[in-house]
Amino acid sequence: WVRPVESLTAVPLVGTQGAYHPFWSPDGRSLAFFARGKLKKIDAAGGPVVTICDASDGRGGTWNRAGMIVFTPGSLDALYKVPAAGGVPVAATTLDTVNRIQTHRWPHFLPDGNHFLYTTQASAVGAENDMIRIASLDSTVDSVLMRGNSNVEYASGHVLFHRQGMLMAQPFDTATF
């Protein structure tokens, strides 16, 4: 369902039954979501649902102004990138199996549309190995930003994340990272 800001009435988006982990296009005109083993999108005003690619059990996505989506296709996957128009996903990150990192999740583009933040989760090692990392579309090399195991967002010069039961806001310079 969507509700325009100027309205009190929510409207269902036909064809989105079973949708989960939705995320907006940068212009706010479309929504992407996971459903029935696929990454899909729909115009926020309604219309046909369009399949972008396979995604067996998605764990978050982010969409930049150039029309690129970074997403986690399954619960035990690295991040992949795919054009919002559809196509074959290509690896955007690589899992660190030496440190038993089993998944990359909850990507979020920074304002430059090239770099993105995301969370790593270790297997049975524990939350002390879970990290918030930064990567870019033009390389599968990434770096640790800080310790953390929640989804991460950037807004108004701060990285927002959850740590030990509290919402944290860490100042963050997008020019120097």
Side-chain angles (χ1 to χ4, degrees):
W1 293 71
V2 291
R3 183 183 62 82
V5 174
E6 66 278 357
S7 174
L8 295 176
T9 305
V11 179
L13 292 176
V14 177
T16 61
Q17 296 77 2
Y20 62 98
H21 300 315
F23 54 98
W24 289 96
S25 65
D27 63 8
R29 294 182 181 161
S30 299
L31 284 159
F33 60 93
F34 300 94
R36 296 176 201 67
K38 306 286 184 191
L39 174 60
K40 301 179 178 196
K41 68 179 179 180
I42 188 170
D43 189 295
V49 172
V50 176
T51 297
I52 298 170
C53 64
D54 290 337
S56 63
D57 190 19
R59 292 292 188 258
T62 186
W63 192 336
N64 73 8
R65 293 194 184 284
M68 186 61 67
I69 291 176
V70 173
F71 70 105
T72 308
S75 62
L76 298 175
D77 282 320
L79 297 174
Y80 283 76
K81 58 188 176 183
V82 66
V88 177
V90 175
T93 61
T94 304
L95 293 177
D96 178 0
T97 55
V98 172
N99 290 310
R100 299 196 295 185
I101 302 301
Q102 69 180 19
T103 185
H104 293 171
R105 297 179 177 197
W106 316 123
H108 180 78
F109 271 114
L110 292 173
D112 70 2
N114 182 44
H115 292 89
F116 51 92
L117 304 171
Y118 68 96
T119 304
T120 64
Q121 292 183 346
S123 55
V125 178
E128 67 274 2
N129 288 331
D130 295 345
M131 300 290 170
I132 294 172
R133 301 182 73 93
I134 186 168
S136 69
L137 289 174
D138 49 13
S139 173
T140 57
V141 176
D142 63 1
S143 59
V144 173
L145 189 60
M146 67 186 77
R147 207 174 283 280
N149 65 353
S150 71
N151 56 331
V152 59
E153 299 279 333
Y154 170 83
S156 303
H158 291 82
V159 173
L160 305 169
F161 60 99
H162 180 264
R163 183 185 290 156
Q164 297 176 341
M166 294 186 291
L167 176 61
M168 307 292 287
Q170 171 96 20
F172 186 73
D173 183 339
T174 59
T176 62
F177 308 126

